[in-house]
Amino acid sequence: MKYSLGAFVGFVIFTIIIDFLLHRLIHSDDDKRYNHFSFPFGTFWFYSIPTFFILSFSTIFAIIKTTNQAFTYVVFQWLLVSYLAIYLPKFFYYLAYKLTHKAIKVKRKFESNGKIKKMNEGRYPSISRKKFLSQVGIVVASAPFISLLFGVIKGRFAFSKRYSKLSFPNLPEAFDGIKIVQISDLHLGSLNSNYKEMEEAVRLINDEHPDLICFTGDLVNNFYEETIGWEKVFSKLKASIGKFSILGNHDYGDYSKWPTPQDKDDNLNKIKAAHGRLGFKLLNNQNQTLEINGDKIAVTGVENWGHPPFPQYGDLKEASKGTDDIPFKLLLSHDPDHWDAEVKTDYNYDLTLSGHTHGMQFGIEFRNFQWSPAKYKFRRWAGLYNEGNKYLYVNRGLGYLGMPARVGMPPEITIIELTRGPISSEPM
């Protein structure tokens, strides 16, 4: 509850500051007889919209803590995207206006000192300074609005395949060339009933003819009801060797208040059962040995392990029992922080697959450059990492949470081919 109250206060402060600053900015040169309480241009008009959203947020936060209705998250995410569609442009409008105004003042100072020669004076029709600044602000403010709109309409279902080829000297010969598809963070409650869109993701996965399909957690936002109806989509996934899954931090029901501990346990047990309905073998601090022509590899799944406030249910020691003599080991662990904290130092796993970060569903990726706010929270937040002969791959997630949009960080289907040879990695 403390976190929710902090988020609520943050929204209130941000909203009031932005509206107050814009109110002053827009009317700074207006008629001095301007009435701040008049309608429709008065203060009331500027605060009515944010007040509506703030009250909605506070109500939804309170409901989420006590409800057992998955639809609450759907309502919340659309309120959030509506809020961002209004206030991100406002924020960038103000920023562009003030920065451009500052730049003009600096330029004029240099001109007055004779350091910059005035050019093209009188050749083009002039406009007022305020109109020019407003036009700059509008142009800049339109960018986040259009980006967010694209992320909602197109980006959240613009599935992206990402390929990697990894070589290991200890990979058994019978598994040379094995193809693994990883998906993560479905958050079925957020997807609501977008079955058709996710059927396209299933088709893209099956087109790869994978040997293994690994799902690395967060099947739901909180409630088992979110899984109802999705078996008709994900049960169509095909893998020649098997389909394995683990739980993520959202799957335990920790983000809601339950009438009794038994209600919470029942919810978790039904979520575990849903993995089977969707066609996955759930590995809960367990491992599975895969054997072809006498050669073996191990697939281990550990429960969620993350730094606070994320839960630490994972028991890697228990999960790893019986795998010491298996030459190649694959680990499924939802939170990538687990890799640095325990996996790479204390255990001999060749490849770890994680998710959790979503790449914050927002970022910039161009050739070898990638950036997202996720990098300031997670050391390993997207893509392939390695230290020595141990690898970690962090999937950007196939679904979405909180904001029903993806901007510059498309939903990901990871395809990894394992080959036998000197330790190496390369894009496919």
Side-chain angles (χ1 to χ4, degrees), residues 182 184-185 187 215-219 246-251 302-305 310 331-338 352-358 394-395:
Q182 180 199 5
S184 193
D185 298 88
H187 292 280
F215 171 64
T216 48
D218 276 2
L219 182 65
I246 57 172
L247 299 176
N249 57 297
H250 276 266
D251 297 321
V302 69
E303 292 196 61
N304 192 85
W305 192 104
F310 301 113
L331 176 66
L332 312 182
S333 180
H334 179 68
D335 193 320
D337 284 346
H338 191 202
T352 301
L353 302 180
S354 297
H356 185 56
T357 72
H358 299 212
V394 183
N395 180 283

PDB file of all heavy atoms in Angstrom, residues 182 184-185 187 215-219 246-251 302-305 310 331-338 352-358 394-395:
ATOM      1  N   GLN A 182      12.196 -18.956 -27.077  1.00  0.00           N
ATOM      2  CA  GLN A 182      11.844 -18.430 -25.767  1.00  0.00           C
ATOM      3  C   GLN A 182      10.786 -17.346 -25.907  1.00  0.00           C
ATOM      4  O   GLN A 182      10.900 -16.446 -26.743  1.00  0.00           O
ATOM      5  CB  GLN A 182      13.063 -17.834 -25.056  1.00  0.00           C
ATOM      6  CG  GLN A 182      12.718 -17.278 -23.658  1.00  0.00           C
ATOM      7  CD  GLN A 182      13.757 -16.303 -23.120  1.00  0.00           C
ATOM      8  OE1 GLN A 182      14.710 -15.949 -23.825  1.00  0.00           O
ATOM      9  NE2 GLN A 182      13.582 -15.847 -21.892  1.00  0.00           N
ATOM     10  N   SER A 184       8.169 -14.874 -23.106  1.00  0.00           N
ATOM     11  CA  SER A 184       8.117 -14.491 -21.693  1.00  0.00           C
ATOM     12  C   SER A 184       7.046 -13.440 -21.468  1.00  0.00           C
ATOM     13  O   SER A 184       6.596 -12.766 -22.401  1.00  0.00           O
ATOM     14  CB  SER A 184       9.486 -13.946 -21.253  1.00  0.00           C
ATOM     15  OG  SER A 184       9.562 -13.836 -19.844  1.00  0.00           O
ATOM     16  N   ASP A 185       6.608 -13.313 -20.219  1.00  0.00           N
ATOM     17  CA  ASP A 185       5.765 -12.195 -19.770  1.00  0.00           C
ATOM     18  C   ASP A 185       4.537 -11.993 -20.656  1.00  0.00           C
ATOM     19  O   ASP A 185       4.382 -10.947 -21.280  1.00  0.00           O
ATOM     20  CB  ASP A 185       6.608 -10.919 -19.704  1.00  0.00           C
ATOM     21  CG  ASP A 185       7.741 -11.024 -18.713  1.00  0.00           C
ATOM     22  OD1 ASP A 185       8.834 -11.499 -19.096  1.00  0.00           O
ATOM     23  OD2 ASP A 185       7.533 -10.661 -17.552  1.00  0.00           O
ATOM     24  N   HIS A 187       1.309 -11.927 -19.486  1.00  0.00           N
ATOM     25  CA  HIS A 187       0.360 -11.055 -18.782  1.00  0.00           C
ATOM     26  C   HIS A 187      -1.015 -11.125 -19.458  1.00  0.00           C
ATOM     27  O   HIS A 187      -1.525 -10.133 -19.993  1.00  0.00           O
ATOM     28  CB  HIS A 187       0.879  -9.619 -18.726  1.00  0.00           C
ATOM     29  CG  HIS A 187       2.094  -9.455 -17.867  1.00  0.00           C
ATOM     30  ND1 HIS A 187       2.042  -9.372 -16.497  1.00  0.00           N
ATOM     31  CD2 HIS A 187       3.420  -9.406 -18.191  1.00  0.00           C
ATOM     32  CE1 HIS A 187       3.267  -9.256 -16.000  1.00  0.00           C
ATOM     33  NE2 HIS A 187       4.126  -9.281 -17.010  1.00  0.00           N
ATOM     34  N   PHE A 215       8.942 -20.918 -21.786  1.00  0.00           N
ATOM     35  CA  PHE A 215       8.221 -19.733 -21.327  1.00  0.00           C
ATOM     36  C   PHE A 215       8.750 -19.354 -19.951  1.00  0.00           C
ATOM     37  O   PHE A 215       8.695 -20.150 -19.016  1.00  0.00           O
ATOM     38  CB  PHE A 215       6.717 -19.994 -21.266  1.00  0.00           C
ATOM     39  CG  PHE A 215       5.946 -18.893 -20.603  1.00  0.00           C
ATOM     40  CD1 PHE A 215       5.900 -17.628 -21.170  1.00  0.00           C
ATOM     41  CD2 PHE A 215       5.282 -19.107 -19.402  1.00  0.00           C
ATOM     42  CE1 PHE A 215       5.213 -16.598 -20.559  1.00  0.00           C
ATOM     43  CE2 PHE A 215       4.595 -18.087 -18.777  1.00  0.00           C
ATOM     44  CZ  PHE A 215       4.549 -16.820 -19.357  1.00  0.00           C
ATOM     45  N   THR A 216       9.260 -18.111 -19.839  1.00  0.00           N
ATOM     46  CA  THR A 216       9.990 -17.733 -18.624  1.00  0.00           C
ATOM     47  C   THR A 216       9.208 -16.826 -17.673  1.00  0.00           C
ATOM     48  O   THR A 216       9.754 -15.892 -17.092  1.00  0.00           O
ATOM     49  CB  THR A 216      11.351 -17.100 -18.989  1.00  0.00           C
ATOM     50  OG1 THR A 216      11.168 -16.106 -20.001  1.00  0.00           O
ATOM     51  CG2 THR A 216      12.308 -18.144 -19.497  1.00  0.00           C
ATOM     52  N   GLY A 217       7.928 -17.115 -17.488  1.00  0.00           N
ATOM     53  CA  GLY A 217       7.206 -16.532 -16.366  1.00  0.00           C
ATOM     54  C   GLY A 217       6.348 -15.320 -16.628  1.00  0.00           C
ATOM     55  O   GLY A 217       6.421 -14.675 -17.666  1.00  0.00           O
ATOM     56  N   ASP A 218       5.512 -15.001 -15.639  1.00  0.00           N
ATOM     57  CA  ASP A 218       4.464 -13.978 -15.674  1.00  0.00           C
ATOM     58  C   ASP A 218       3.405 -14.338 -16.709  1.00  0.00           C
ATOM     59  O   ASP A 218       3.200 -13.632 -17.700  1.00  0.00           O
ATOM     60  CB  ASP A 218       5.045 -12.589 -15.927  1.00  0.00           C
ATOM     61  CG  ASP A 218       5.535 -11.921 -14.651  1.00  0.00           C
ATOM     62  OD1 ASP A 218       5.449 -12.553 -13.573  1.00  0.00           O
ATOM     63  OD2 ASP A 218       6.015 -10.783 -14.715  1.00  0.00           O
ATOM     64  N   LEU A 219       2.724 -15.437 -16.436  1.00  0.00           N
ATOM     65  CA  LEU A 219       1.603 -15.833 -17.277  1.00  0.00           C
ATOM     66  C   LEU A 219       0.447 -14.869 -17.100  1.00  0.00           C
ATOM     67  O   LEU A 219      -0.273 -14.566 -18.047  1.00  0.00           O
ATOM     68  CB  LEU A 219       1.169 -17.261 -16.914  1.00  0.00           C
ATOM     69  CG  LEU A 219       0.037 -17.878 -17.721  1.00  0.00           C
ATOM     70  CD1 LEU A 219       0.447 -18.062 -19.181  1.00  0.00           C
ATOM     71  CD2 LEU A 219      -0.394 -19.210 -17.114  1.00  0.00           C
ATOM     72  N   ILE A 246       8.028 -21.656 -16.304  1.00  0.00           N
ATOM     73  CA  ILE A 246       8.267 -21.336 -14.895  1.00  0.00           C
ATOM     74  C   ILE A 246       7.293 -20.247 -14.470  1.00  0.00           C
ATOM     75  O   ILE A 246       6.566 -19.676 -15.306  1.00  0.00           O
ATOM     76  CB  ILE A 246       9.717 -20.863 -14.642  1.00  0.00           C
ATOM     77  CG1 ILE A 246      10.045 -19.639 -15.527  1.00  0.00           C
ATOM     78  CG2 ILE A 246      10.704 -21.989 -14.850  1.00  0.00           C
ATOM     79  CD1 ILE A 246      11.377 -18.992 -15.222  1.00  0.00           C
ATOM     80  N   LEU A 247       7.275 -19.950 -13.190  1.00  0.00           N
ATOM     81  CA  LEU A 247       6.468 -18.857 -12.658  1.00  0.00           C
ATOM     82  C   LEU A 247       7.281 -17.572 -12.611  1.00  0.00           C
ATOM     83  O   LEU A 247       8.495 -17.595 -12.456  1.00  0.00           O
ATOM     84  CB  LEU A 247       5.977 -19.190 -11.248  1.00  0.00           C
ATOM     85  CG  LEU A 247       5.075 -20.422 -11.088  1.00  0.00           C
ATOM     86  CD1 LEU A 247       4.775 -20.653  -9.607  1.00  0.00           C
ATOM     87  CD2 LEU A 247       3.786 -20.259 -11.876  1.00  0.00           C
ATOM     88  N   GLY A 248       6.577 -16.435 -12.740  1.00  0.00           N
ATOM     89  CA  GLY A 248       7.192 -15.126 -12.558  1.00  0.00           C
ATOM     90  C   GLY A 248       6.624 -14.450 -11.330  1.00  0.00           C
ATOM     91  O   GLY A 248       5.706 -14.978 -10.675  1.00  0.00           O
ATOM     92  N   ASN A 249       7.118 -13.283 -11.000  1.00  0.00           N
ATOM     93  CA  ASN A 249       6.702 -12.616  -9.771  1.00  0.00           C
ATOM     94  C   ASN A 249       5.209 -12.312  -9.734  1.00  0.00           C
ATOM     95  O   ASN A 249       4.587 -12.298  -8.668  1.00  0.00           O
ATOM     96  CB  ASN A 249       7.510 -11.322  -9.557  1.00  0.00           C
ATOM     97  CG  ASN A 249       7.396 -10.348 -10.708  1.00  0.00           C
ATOM     98  OD1 ASN A 249       7.814 -10.656 -11.826  1.00  0.00           O
ATOM     99  ND2 ASN A 249       6.837  -9.177 -10.478  1.00  0.00           N
ATOM    100  N   HIS A 250       4.581 -12.083 -10.885  1.00  0.00           N
ATOM    101  CA  HIS A 250       3.153 -11.758 -10.907  1.00  0.00           C
ATOM    102  C   HIS A 250       2.258 -12.978 -10.716  1.00  0.00           C
ATOM    103  O   HIS A 250       1.061 -12.821 -10.453  1.00  0.00           O
ATOM    104  CB  HIS A 250       2.795 -11.062 -12.225  1.00  0.00           C
ATOM    105  CG  HIS A 250       3.058  -9.602 -12.222  1.00  0.00           C
ATOM    106  ND1 HIS A 250       2.108  -8.664 -11.901  1.00  0.00           N
ATOM    107  CD2 HIS A 250       4.189  -8.912 -12.488  1.00  0.00           C
ATOM    108  CE1 HIS A 250       2.634  -7.455 -11.967  1.00  0.00           C
ATOM    109  NE2 HIS A 250       3.901  -7.571 -12.320  1.00  0.00           N
ATOM    110  N   ASP A 251       2.797 -14.156 -10.873  1.00  0.00           N
ATOM    111  CA  ASP A 251       1.973 -15.367 -10.851  1.00  0.00           C
ATOM    112  C   ASP A 251       1.582 -15.822  -9.456  1.00  0.00           C
ATOM    113  O   ASP A 251       0.737 -16.711  -9.306  1.00  0.00           O
ATOM    114  CB  ASP A 251       2.714 -16.510 -11.571  1.00  0.00           C
ATOM    115  CG  ASP A 251       2.941 -16.209 -13.039  1.00  0.00           C
ATOM    116  OD1 ASP A 251       2.022 -15.640 -13.656  1.00  0.00           O
ATOM    117  OD2 ASP A 251       4.022 -16.539 -13.566  1.00  0.00           O
ATOM    118  N   VAL A 302      13.485 -22.608 -12.082  1.00  0.00           N
ATOM    119  CA  VAL A 302      13.503 -22.150 -10.692  1.00  0.00           C
ATOM    120  C   VAL A 302      12.372 -21.149 -10.481  1.00  0.00           C
ATOM    121  O   VAL A 302      12.016 -20.386 -11.390  1.00  0.00           O
ATOM    122  CB  VAL A 302      14.877 -21.530 -10.341  1.00  0.00           C
ATOM    123  CG1 VAL A 302      15.098 -20.223 -11.076  1.00  0.00           C
ATOM    124  CG2 VAL A 302      15.047 -21.344  -8.850  1.00  0.00           C
ATOM    125  N   GLU A 303      11.792 -21.160  -9.294  1.00  0.00           N
ATOM    126  CA  GLU A 303      10.751 -20.174  -8.982  1.00  0.00           C
ATOM    127  C   GLU A 303      11.371 -18.778  -8.925  1.00  0.00           C
ATOM    128  O   GLU A 303      12.581 -18.610  -8.915  1.00  0.00           O
ATOM    129  CB  GLU A 303      10.079 -20.524  -7.655  1.00  0.00           C
ATOM    130  CG  GLU A 303       9.244 -21.792  -7.707  1.00  0.00           C
ATOM    131  CD  GLU A 303       8.292 -21.898  -6.530  1.00  0.00           C
ATOM    132  OE1 GLU A 303       7.433 -21.009  -6.388  1.00  0.00           O
ATOM    133  OE2 GLU A 303       8.427 -22.862  -5.765  1.00  0.00           O
ATOM    134  N   ASN A 304      10.500 -17.782  -8.872  1.00  0.00           N
ATOM    135  CA  ASN A 304      10.992 -16.399  -8.961  1.00  0.00           C
ATOM    136  C   ASN A 304      12.006 -16.084  -7.865  1.00  0.00           C
ATOM    137  O   ASN A 304      11.820 -16.405  -6.696  1.00  0.00           O
ATOM    138  CB  ASN A 304       9.832 -15.412  -8.859  1.00  0.00           C
ATOM    139  CG  ASN A 304      10.254 -14.002  -9.232  1.00  0.00           C
ATOM    140  OD1 ASN A 304      10.265 -13.647 -10.397  1.00  0.00           O
ATOM    141  ND2 ASN A 304      10.626 -13.186  -8.257  1.00  0.00           N
ATOM    142  N   TRP A 305      13.097 -15.442  -8.279  1.00  0.00           N
ATOM    143  CA  TRP A 305      14.116 -14.952  -7.357  1.00  0.00           C
ATOM    144  C   TRP A 305      14.536 -13.573  -7.849  1.00  0.00           C
ATOM    145  O   TRP A 305      15.095 -13.409  -8.929  1.00  0.00           O
ATOM    146  CB  TRP A 305      15.323 -15.874  -7.326  1.00  0.00           C
ATOM    147  CG  TRP A 305      16.281 -15.587  -6.195  1.00  0.00           C
ATOM    148  CD1 TRP A 305      16.422 -16.305  -5.055  1.00  0.00           C
ATOM    149  CD2 TRP A 305      17.220 -14.492  -6.103  1.00  0.00           C
ATOM    150  NE1 TRP A 305      17.385 -15.740  -4.248  1.00  0.00           N
ATOM    151  CE2 TRP A 305      17.886 -14.621  -4.863  1.00  0.00           C
ATOM    152  CE3 TRP A 305      17.551 -13.421  -6.937  1.00  0.00           C
ATOM    153  CZ2 TRP A 305      18.865 -13.716  -4.450  1.00  0.00           C
ATOM    154  CZ3 TRP A 305      18.514 -12.510  -6.518  1.00  0.00           C
ATOM    155  CH2 TRP A 305      19.158 -12.663  -5.283  1.00  0.00           C
ATOM    156  N   PHE A 310      10.802  -7.599  -5.139  1.00  0.00           N
ATOM    157  CA  PHE A 310      10.373  -8.811  -5.826  1.00  0.00           C
ATOM    158  C   PHE A 310      10.655 -10.033  -4.945  1.00  0.00           C
ATOM    159  O   PHE A 310      11.656 -10.081  -4.220  1.00  0.00           O
ATOM    160  CB  PHE A 310      11.081  -8.940  -7.173  1.00  0.00           C
ATOM    161  CG  PHE A 310      10.826  -7.770  -8.082  1.00  0.00           C
ATOM    162  CD1 PHE A 310      11.855  -6.900  -8.431  1.00  0.00           C
ATOM    163  CD2 PHE A 310       9.552  -7.522  -8.570  1.00  0.00           C
ATOM    164  CE1 PHE A 310      11.617  -5.818  -9.259  1.00  0.00           C
ATOM    165  CE2 PHE A 310       9.303  -6.430  -9.389  1.00  0.00           C
ATOM    166  CZ  PHE A 310      10.338  -5.575  -9.735  1.00  0.00           C
ATOM    167  N   LEU A 331      18.983 -23.194 -17.827  1.00  0.00           N
ATOM    168  CA  LEU A 331      18.205 -22.727 -16.674  1.00  0.00           C
ATOM    169  C   LEU A 331      17.156 -21.704 -17.111  1.00  0.00           C
ATOM    170  O   LEU A 331      17.459 -20.787 -17.882  1.00  0.00           O
ATOM    171  CB  LEU A 331      19.133 -22.078 -15.635  1.00  0.00           C
ATOM    172  CG  LEU A 331      18.443 -21.446 -14.414  1.00  0.00           C
ATOM    173  CD1 LEU A 331      17.759 -22.513 -13.561  1.00  0.00           C
ATOM    174  CD2 LEU A 331      19.442 -20.644 -13.580  1.00  0.00           C
ATOM    175  N   LEU A 332      15.947 -21.864 -16.585  1.00  0.00           N
ATOM    176  CA  LEU A 332      14.888 -20.876 -16.754  1.00  0.00           C
ATOM    177  C   LEU A 332      14.702 -20.154 -15.428  1.00  0.00           C
ATOM    178  O   LEU A 332      14.346 -20.783 -14.420  1.00  0.00           O
ATOM    179  CB  LEU A 332      13.576 -21.545 -17.176  1.00  0.00           C
ATOM    180  CG  LEU A 332      13.623 -22.555 -18.322  1.00  0.00           C
ATOM    181  CD1 LEU A 332      12.220 -23.073 -18.642  1.00  0.00           C
ATOM    182  CD2 LEU A 332      14.288 -21.960 -19.551  1.00  0.00           C
ATOM    183  N   SER A 333      14.975 -18.854 -15.390  1.00  0.00           N
ATOM    184  CA  SER A 333      14.829 -18.049 -14.181  1.00  0.00           C
ATOM    185  C   SER A 333      14.268 -16.692 -14.576  1.00  0.00           C
ATOM    186  O   SER A 333      14.882 -15.959 -15.356  1.00  0.00           O
ATOM    187  CB  SER A 333      16.177 -17.887 -13.473  1.00  0.00           C
ATOM    188  OG  SER A 333      16.041 -17.114 -12.298  1.00  0.00           O
ATOM    189  N   HIS A 334      13.115 -16.360 -14.049  1.00  0.00           N
ATOM    190  CA  HIS A 334      12.356 -15.203 -14.537  1.00  0.00           C
ATOM    191  C   HIS A 334      13.119 -13.885 -14.445  1.00  0.00           C
ATOM    192  O   HIS A 334      13.155 -13.102 -15.394  1.00  0.00           O
ATOM    193  CB  HIS A 334      11.042 -15.097 -13.749  1.00  0.00           C
ATOM    194  CG  HIS A 334      10.190 -13.935 -14.132  1.00  0.00           C
ATOM    195  ND1 HIS A 334       9.567 -13.836 -15.367  1.00  0.00           N
ATOM    196  CD2 HIS A 334       9.856 -12.799 -13.452  1.00  0.00           C
ATOM    197  CE1 HIS A 334       8.886 -12.716 -15.427  1.00  0.00           C
ATOM    198  NE2 HIS A 334       9.044 -12.055 -14.282  1.00  0.00           N
ATOM    199  N   ASP A 335      13.729 -13.615 -13.320  1.00  0.00           N
ATOM    200  CA  ASP A 335      14.357 -12.314 -13.062  1.00  0.00           C
ATOM    201  C   ASP A 335      15.848 -12.366 -13.404  1.00  0.00           C
ATOM    202  O   ASP A 335      16.596 -13.146 -12.821  1.00  0.00           O
ATOM    203  CB  ASP A 335      14.173 -11.955 -11.581  1.00  0.00           C
ATOM    204  CG  ASP A 335      14.499 -10.505 -11.267  1.00  0.00           C
ATOM    205  OD1 ASP A 335      15.490  -9.991 -11.821  1.00  0.00           O
ATOM    206  OD2 ASP A 335      13.778  -9.901 -10.455  1.00  0.00           O
ATOM    207  N   PRO A 336      16.321 -11.520 -14.327  1.00  0.00           N
ATOM    208  CA  PRO A 336      17.736 -11.566 -14.714  1.00  0.00           C
ATOM    209  C   PRO A 336      18.707 -11.203 -13.598  1.00  0.00           C
ATOM    210  O   PRO A 336      19.889 -11.553 -13.664  1.00  0.00           O
ATOM    211  CB  PRO A 336      17.824 -10.554 -15.873  1.00  0.00           C
ATOM    212  CG  PRO A 336      16.664  -9.648 -15.681  1.00  0.00           C
ATOM    213  CD  PRO A 336      15.585 -10.486 -15.089  1.00  0.00           C
ATOM    214  N   ASP A 337      18.235 -10.519 -12.562  1.00  0.00           N
ATOM    215  CA  ASP A 337      19.107 -10.215 -11.426  1.00  0.00           C
ATOM    216  C   ASP A 337      19.599 -11.489 -10.740  1.00  0.00           C
ATOM    217  O   ASP A 337      20.649 -11.479 -10.079  1.00  0.00           O
ATOM    218  CB  ASP A 337      18.365  -9.339 -10.401  1.00  0.00           C
ATOM    219  CG  ASP A 337      18.253  -7.890 -10.847  1.00  0.00           C
ATOM    220  OD1 ASP A 337      18.959  -7.506 -11.796  1.00  0.00           O
ATOM    221  OD2 ASP A 337      17.442  -7.147 -10.250  1.00  0.00           O
ATOM    222  N   HIS A 338      18.850 -12.552 -10.875  1.00  0.00           N
ATOM    223  CA  HIS A 338      19.222 -13.830 -10.270  1.00  0.00           C
ATOM    224  C   HIS A 338      20.553 -14.328 -10.834  1.00  0.00           C
ATOM    225  O   HIS A 338      21.349 -14.952 -10.127  1.00  0.00           O
ATOM    226  CB  HIS A 338      18.108 -14.853 -10.523  1.00  0.00           C
ATOM    227  CG  HIS A 338      18.251 -16.111  -9.746  1.00  0.00           C
ATOM    228  ND1 HIS A 338      17.658 -17.307 -10.111  1.00  0.00           N
ATOM    229  CD2 HIS A 338      18.929 -16.389  -8.591  1.00  0.00           C
ATOM    230  CE1 HIS A 338      17.956 -18.244  -9.232  1.00  0.00           C
ATOM    231  NE2 HIS A 338      18.728 -17.717  -8.300  1.00  0.00           N
ATOM    232  N   THR A 352      21.249 -19.342 -19.388  1.00  0.00           N
ATOM    233  CA  THR A 352      20.098 -18.978 -18.571  1.00  0.00           C
ATOM    234  C   THR A 352      19.163 -18.107 -19.398  1.00  0.00           C
ATOM    235  O   THR A 352      19.613 -17.167 -20.070  1.00  0.00           O
ATOM    236  CB  THR A 352      20.522 -18.213 -17.307  1.00  0.00           C
ATOM    237  OG1 THR A 352      21.409 -19.029 -16.533  1.00  0.00           O
ATOM    238  CG2 THR A 352      19.322 -17.833 -16.456  1.00  0.00           C
ATOM    239  N   LEU A 353      17.874 -18.410 -19.332  1.00  0.00           N
ATOM    240  CA  LEU A 353      16.861 -17.626 -20.041  1.00  0.00           C
ATOM    241  C   LEU A 353      15.997 -16.891 -19.021  1.00  0.00           C
ATOM    242  O   LEU A 353      15.472 -17.506 -18.089  1.00  0.00           O
ATOM    243  CB  LEU A 353      15.991 -18.531 -20.916  1.00  0.00           C
ATOM    244  CG  LEU A 353      16.706 -19.362 -21.977  1.00  0.00           C
ATOM    245  CD1 LEU A 353      15.699 -20.211 -22.760  1.00  0.00           C
ATOM    246  CD2 LEU A 353      17.504 -18.478 -22.930  1.00  0.00           C
ATOM    247  N   SER A 354      15.858 -15.563 -19.198  1.00  0.00           N
ATOM    248  CA  SER A 354      15.078 -14.736 -18.280  1.00  0.00           C
ATOM    249  C   SER A 354      14.164 -13.798 -19.050  1.00  0.00           C
ATOM    250  O   SER A 354      14.235 -13.694 -20.276  1.00  0.00           O
ATOM    251  CB  SER A 354      16.018 -13.913 -17.375  1.00  0.00           C
ATOM    252  OG  SER A 354      16.813 -14.739 -16.558  1.00  0.00           O
ATOM    253  N   GLY A 355      13.314 -13.096 -18.305  1.00  0.00           N
ATOM    254  CA  GLY A 355      12.416 -12.095 -18.886  1.00  0.00           C
ATOM    255  C   GLY A 355      12.291 -10.926 -17.939  1.00  0.00           C
ATOM    256  O   GLY A 355      13.258 -10.266 -17.590  1.00  0.00           O
ATOM    257  N   HIS A 356      11.057 -10.654 -17.500  1.00  0.00           N
ATOM    258  CA  HIS A 356      10.768  -9.746 -16.378  1.00  0.00           C
ATOM    259  C   HIS A 356      10.834  -8.258 -16.711  1.00  0.00           C
ATOM    260  O   HIS A 356       9.967  -7.487 -16.285  1.00  0.00           O
ATOM    261  CB  HIS A 356      11.710 -10.057 -15.212  1.00  0.00           C
ATOM    262  CG  HIS A 356      11.435  -9.272 -13.966  1.00  0.00           C
ATOM    263  ND1 HIS A 356      10.208  -9.257 -13.340  1.00  0.00           N
ATOM    264  CD2 HIS A 356      12.242  -8.473 -13.220  1.00  0.00           C
ATOM    265  CE1 HIS A 356      10.268  -8.489 -12.265  1.00  0.00           C
ATOM    266  NE2 HIS A 356      11.490  -8.002 -12.169  1.00  0.00           N
ATOM    267  N   THR A 357      11.825  -7.798 -17.443  1.00  0.00           N
ATOM    268  CA  THR A 357      12.047  -6.357 -17.593  1.00  0.00           C
ATOM    269  C   THR A 357      11.113  -5.699 -18.603  1.00  0.00           C
ATOM    270  O   THR A 357      10.853  -4.503 -18.509  1.00  0.00           O
ATOM    271  CB  THR A 357      13.491  -6.064 -18.030  1.00  0.00           C
ATOM    272  OG1 THR A 357      13.669  -6.450 -19.399  1.00  0.00           O
ATOM    273  CG2 THR A 357      14.487  -6.803 -17.151  1.00  0.00           C
ATOM    274  N   HIS A 358      10.659  -6.435 -19.605  1.00  0.00           N
ATOM    275  CA  HIS A 358       9.865  -5.925 -20.730  1.00  0.00           C
ATOM    276  C   HIS A 358      10.630  -4.886 -21.551  1.00  0.00           C
ATOM    277  O   HIS A 358      10.052  -4.283 -22.462  1.00  0.00           O
ATOM    278  CB  HIS A 358       8.558  -5.263 -20.265  1.00  0.00           C
ATOM    279  CG  HIS A 358       7.614  -6.157 -19.538  1.00  0.00           C
ATOM    280  ND1 HIS A 358       6.246  -6.009 -19.596  1.00  0.00           N
ATOM    281  CD2 HIS A 358       7.812  -7.228 -18.722  1.00  0.00           C
ATOM    282  CE1 HIS A 358       5.656  -6.924 -18.853  1.00  0.00           C
ATOM    283  NE2 HIS A 358       6.598  -7.677 -18.314  1.00  0.00           N
ATOM    284  N   VAL A 394      17.993 -12.222 -22.002  1.00  0.00           N
ATOM    285  CA  VAL A 394      16.837 -11.564 -21.394  1.00  0.00           C
ATOM    286  C   VAL A 394      15.842 -11.208 -22.490  1.00  0.00           C
ATOM    287  O   VAL A 394      16.102 -10.337 -23.334  1.00  0.00           O
ATOM    288  CB  VAL A 394      17.248 -10.295 -20.618  1.00  0.00           C
ATOM    289  CG1 VAL A 394      16.025  -9.691 -19.930  1.00  0.00           C
ATOM    290  CG2 VAL A 394      18.329 -10.612 -19.590  1.00  0.00           C
ATOM    291  N   ASN A 395      14.714 -11.888 -22.469  1.00  0.00           N
ATOM    292  CA  ASN A 395      13.648 -11.657 -23.442  1.00  0.00           C
ATOM    293  C   ASN A 395      12.867 -10.396 -23.074  1.00  0.00           C
ATOM    294  O   ASN A 395      12.613 -10.127 -21.892  1.00  0.00           O
ATOM    295  CB  ASN A 395      12.732 -12.890 -23.457  1.00  0.00           C
ATOM    296  CG  ASN A 395      11.587 -12.772 -24.442  1.00  0.00           C
ATOM    297  OD1 ASN A 395      10.607 -12.089 -24.181  1.00  0.00           O
ATOM    298  ND2 ASN A 395      11.711 -13.470 -25.552  1.00  0.00           N
TER     299      ASN A 395
END
